[in-house]
Each structure stands twice: as structure tokens, then as C-alpha cells.
Amino acid sequence: MDLKSLLDLVDFKENTHYLKGKQIANGKIPDFTFKLPENKVVHVDCKFSTSNAGLIYEDLKNLRKNLNDETNDEKHLELEKDYKKEVNKFTAATKGQIDDLVDRKYAGSDENTLDFAFLYIPTESSYAFLIEQRITYEERKNKIDIPLLHYALKNRVILTNPSLMMAYLNTVKRSLMTHNLSENIKKISDLHNSFKLEWNTFANSCDEIESQ
């Protein structure tokens, strides 16, 4: 499910709950920016289209099935190479998208921005597959092998899928409602105190007039 459809599903309104394609302070343009209580925001990018992510995963699943069904050793070895090649390609593409988010400095781009960003994976199956993969990268001339999910978190990027994002959005919505309610109560209280002060001033003035 693409993120815009998910936002519609949870009744998030553009310009009220989120901004779409709006330039931020550092000149970059996230796909979406979610509004949070206390004027905070968090940015989200959706690098995979739903169709592309789905097709990639289906191709991998078919390759895996053919690999498992193959009884000829030579063909099995060839299919295994093809499968690993496609897995590495998908994993490398996702790592590249994580790196792109890091380069764009979405996390903590200013004092009102949370110090992480979301990378939205539009299909549950692709997300489940990706978080099981590992990547190897070089850091200070050392080769490091870690799960893709850990690499993302290390770089302050949270990989998310439709069900996780829906849970997050519902939490945000409740927080906004509670925050707005608290703000409204404070405004009512301030108005009441202001009225009370004005009333006391008026009453004191009346007492002074009567005593003259």
C-alpha cells in the first residue's frame, strides 16, 4: 500500500496532519513530513513504489521456489547464484536508499525535527524479507557485516511497513488530539483567569465609587 493511501485510510489530512513534498530548512524535499505535538516534525521518504517492491519480492520468491524444486545439481547451482545475485541487488538498493536519506540530512535537520527519519517499504512481504538480510560495508578501512535493519538504525533511519506505519500514525493522531485538548484547556483556563481579573478590577472600582 502506498503511503498516501495509508494516510487517507487513517484519516490524516494534508496540511493538517502532514505536509507533502515541502522543502525543509536544508533545501531538501522529503516525500512526507508528519506534524507532531509541540511543533515537532519527522520526515518520511518512500523510495520503492508498491508495484516495484512487490515485483522484486515475487521474482525472488519464484527464484527460491525454482531453486528448491530443482533436482539437477548443475542447474541448482546456477539458480542459487541467480537467487543470491538478486537478493544482493535488492539489499544493496535498499542500503543505497538509506544512505540517500542520510545524505539528505532529514534526521535532526533543525531544532524542531526528530533525530531520525522513516524509510517506508510499501509491502509487508518485502519488509519482512529485507529485515532478514545482512550487508557488508567498509568503515575506517574495516569490513563490517551487520543486519540491514541494524545498519539503518545506526544511521538514524527507521525501516517501516504499512502495518507499523499505521500503528505509528494512530499514536501520533492520539497524541495530537491530547495535545490540542491540553492546549484548549489551557486557553480556556487563561481566559477564565483573565475574566476573573477583569471582574475583580471592575468590582473593586464599583466598591470605590459606592464608598465615595
Side-chain angles (χ1 to χ4, degrees), residues 35-78:
K35 295 184 175 183
L36 305 174
E38 298 178 1
N39 294 320
K40 299 294 184 183
V41 297
V42 63
H43 304 304
V44 187
D45 256 11
C46 316
K47 296 299 184 183
F48 284 116
S49 70
T50 305
S51 57
N52 282 347
L55 286 172
I56 292 169
Y57 178 73
E58 285 303 314
D59 287 345
L60 286 169
K61 192 166 72 171
N62 289 334
L63 276 171
R64 181 82 251 180
K65 183 180 183 305
N66 293 338
L67 179 60
N68 292 338
D69 292 345
E70 185 55 62
T71 55
N72 181 287
D73 288 346
E74 190 174 329
K75 286 185 178 178
H76 187 279
L77 187 60
E78 188 178 329

Side-chain angles (χ1 to χ4, degrees), residues 1-2 10 45 54 61 72 83 86 101 113 116 127 129 145 152 162 166-167 176-177 193 197 204:
M1 178 184 289
D2 66 83
V10 296
D45 256 11
K61 192 166 72 171
N72 181 287
Y83 178 74
E86 292 304 314
L101 259 69
T113 304
F116 63 86
Y127 173 85
F129 178 82
D145 179 83
M166 182 177 286
L176 284 170
M177 289 172 65
N193 290 333
L197 181 63
N204 290 335

Side-chain angles (χ1 to χ4, degrees), residues 11 26 46 153 194:
D11 200 29
N26 65 12
C46 316
L153 292 173
S194 177

Side-chain angles (χ1 to χ4, degrees), residues 122-149:
T123 66
E124 304 286 344
S125 53
S126 297
Y127 173 85
F129 178 82
L130 285 168
I131 63 172
E132 292 180 348
Q133 306 310 310
R134 301 181 69 86
I135 61 160
T136 302
Y137 68 99
E138 198 168 291
E139 187 176 274
R140 296 174 185 171
K141 297 183 179 179
N142 295 318
K143 281 196 172 181
I144 300 173
D145 179 83
I146 60 172
L148 180 66
L149 185 63

